[in-house]
Amino acid sequence: MFGIVRPCSHRLTDGLKTEWMAHLCGLCLALRADHGQFARVVTNYDGLIISVLTEAQSERTPAARRTAGPCPLRAMRTTPVARGEGARLAAAVSLVLASAKVRDHVADRDGVLARRPLAAAARRVARGWDRAGARAGAELGFDTAVLLDAVDRQPALEALAGPGTPLLTVTEPTETATAAAFAYTAVLAGRPENEAPLAEAGRLFGRLAHLLDAVEDQEADAASGAWNPLTATGTSLPEARRLADDAVHGVRLALRDTRFADDRLVHVLLAHELASAVNRTFDTAACSHQATASTPGPYNPPQGPGAGPYGTNPYGGNPYGGTGVPGDLGGPGGPAGPGGGQPPSFGGEPPRPRPRSLLPGCGMFTYLFCTCQICCAKGYEGPWSRKRRKGCCRDGDCVDCGSCDGCCCPCD
């Protein structure tokens, strides 16, 4: 699973945690029902926001939930899951955007996709997801052509971008795609007055997703020679942080102009968790459940873009190797081998394994998915990034702002 909105369980009340899981499982099951088992690999945390927004604008009815059978991801427990047009729209959007991610990996010749037969197979998968998403969108009255057009325009914009090009020129296709998806939730919910504010919220959400992805990947892209919007346009990290903070504030303002039947989960995800995602990406905060690192030194990891969210250890940083930056090859021990790096040594960062490319990552995701580790494990290795993760039902890496019912948060 991927996405920037990954709420920590201590930030959600029991009721909201149940609702969040209902939408997550609802997206997964909608993908399976409409597009087959393999489509479930595109289940992601951000896609479920489409389902959450649709339901938040409507009065809840008994038909909005059904009881799903046992699933390995839920430790073989049954649970109520969301169903209906919101979940189906989320599935259609997730398929189209996942196909864009696959094509991006192919264009960058990442890992095994540098080989022509595997690249051709990945392209066929992407085209299949495009067609499936278009069919599902058409059944709901949503034209996914706007998403496909945005995806097709992205490479041309990247090719023209250079030092001095405004960063927002590069993020525009992503903004356009997410704006269309967010706005259509108002159509499904029968709230046409919400289309404009939700389009604005979606535009800024897409900008933020693009920015945070660029910040997380910048050092890895530099090491591999891949294109990165921050590097290509000469945008500094402080400027990227300013744009990210402005986007979070803009989303909050847009939500205030939107009429909801029940906005509690929307408020937590888009008013609070977006800010947490920014802090997490720029390494300006740590989870209250984890040890807080102090001044960088031989027993604490450095703070800043190269620091990891893993607390302290006697080797000077992330106990799983490297600095927490994808693609970092560690300290004086030299590059890590494909088997997973070398033992840590005092005086430098140990190397960490290189990220997996698309297809091996999908295989590892399937294994983690079927063995419940993504949901219930205390810790596991990310299928693509190979960073240490926590199960989504356990405490995550976010900032504790205490309990909030919306009256005390800085959403003005």
Side-chain angles (χ1 to χ4, degrees), residues 317-392:
N318 172 6
Y320 305 105
T323 60
V325 178
D328 178 56
L329 301 181
Q342 302 170 354
S345 60
F346 288 96
E349 294 285 348
R352 59 183 293 267
R354 294 181 178 180
R356 295 185 182 91
S357 56
L358 177 68
L359 295 181
C362 287
M364 180 55 67
F365 173 83
T366 303
Y367 169 74
L368 294 171
F369 184 94
C370 294
T371 56
C372 311
Q373 294 185 57
I374 288 178
C375 180
C376 306
K378 184 175 181 180
Y380 65 91
E381 186 181 80
W384 286 280
S385 68
R386 305 191 79 166
K387 292 181 180 179
R388 293 296 298 177
R389 305 290 189 193
K390 290 188 177 183
C392 61

Side-chain angles (χ1 to χ4, degrees), residues 35-410:
H35 311 292
Q37 286 282 2
F38 182 69
R40 299 171 81 178
V41 301
V42 309
T43 302
N44 66 94
Y45 297 128
D46 293 347
L48 70 88
I49 293 176
I50 301 296
S51 178
V52 172
L53 283 172
T54 303
E55 186 174 271
Q57 298 173 76
S58 312
E59 294 295 334
R60 175 77 65 82
T61 64
R65 291 288 183 273
R66 72 176 180 87
T67 301
C71 173
L73 187 60
R74 298 189 298 269
M76 302 309 293
R77 295 190 299 265
T78 60
T79 189
V81 298
R83 67 175 177 180
E85 293 182 332
R88 296 185 64 203
L89 176 62
V93 171
S94 295
L95 280 169
V96 174
L97 297 183
S99 73
K101 185 177 288 287
V102 170
R103 285 197 293 271
D104 186 55
H105 282 297
V106 172
D108 290 342
R109 299 174 62 86
D110 289 339
V112 297
L113 295 182
R115 302 175 182 176
R116 290 184 179 180
L118 294 177
R123 290 191 192 96
R124 285 197 295 271
V125 170
R127 287 195 294 268
W129 284 347
D130 282 340
R131 291 192 296 269
R135 286 195 303 270
E139 292 173 3
L140 298 169
F142 178 65
D143 187 1
T144 60
V146 64
L147 307 184
L148 296 173
D149 175 68
V151 169
D152 291 339
R153 285 189 292 110
Q154 189 71 49
L157 287 175
E158 292 180 358
L160 295 174
T165 301
L167 182 60
L168 299 188
T169 300
V170 180
T171 63
E172 181 273 326
T174 306
E175 295 178 22
T176 300
T178 52
F182 273 46
Y184 200 74
T185 65
V187 176
L188 291 181
R191 291 288 185 94
E193 69 275 15
N194 288 343
E195 286 189 59
L198 286 179
E200 178 67 5
R203 183 179 67 84
L204 295 171
F205 182 90
R207 176 184 301 178
L208 191 60
H210 202 135
L211 281 173
L212 298 189
D213 183 64
V215 172
E216 289 181 339
D217 294 346
Q218 187 174 24
E219 292 196 23
D221 289 342
S224 63
W227 192 91
N228 183 279
L230 298 181
T231 304
T233 61
T235 304
S236 66
L237 285 179
E239 175 63 10
R241 176 63 192 256
R242 184 189 68 79
L243 291 172
D245 288 337
D246 285 350
V248 171
H249 184 63
V251 169
R252 289 171 171 170
L253 293 178
L255 293 180
R256 291 178 59 185
D257 294 334
T258 307
R259 295 180 60 188
F260 291 107
D262 182 353
D263 70 343
R264 290 176 300 164
L265 185 56
V266 170
H267 180 83
V268 170
L269 296 180
L270 294 182
H272 288 281
E273 293 303 328
L274 281 185
S276 296
V278 172
N279 289 333
R280 181 171 60 240
T281 301
F282 287 90
D283 289 319
T284 56
C287 181
S288 62
H289 292 137
Q290 298 170 346
T292 301
S294 57
T295 304
Y299 297 97
N300 287 313
Q303 300 300 304
Y310 304 102
T312 62
N313 72 87
Y315 305 110
N318 172 6
Y320 305 105
T323 60
V325 178
D328 178 56
L329 301 181
Q342 302 170 354
S345 60
F346 288 96
E349 294 285 348
R352 59 183 293 267
R354 294 181 178 180
R356 295 185 182 91
S357 56
L358 177 68
L359 295 181
C362 287
M364 180 55 67
F365 173 83
T366 303
Y367 169 74
L368 294 171
F369 184 94
C370 294
T371 56
C372 311
Q373 294 185 57
I374 288 178
C375 180
C376 306
K378 184 175 181 180
Y380 65 91
E381 186 181 80
W384 286 280
S385 68
R386 305 191 79 166
K387 292 181 180 179
R388 293 296 298 177
R389 305 290 189 193
K390 290 188 177 183
C392 61
C393 290
R394 303 184 68 91
D395 298 331
D397 51 347
C398 67
V399 182
D400 186 9
C401 68
S403 61
C404 176
D405 58 7
C407 64
C408 61
C409 66

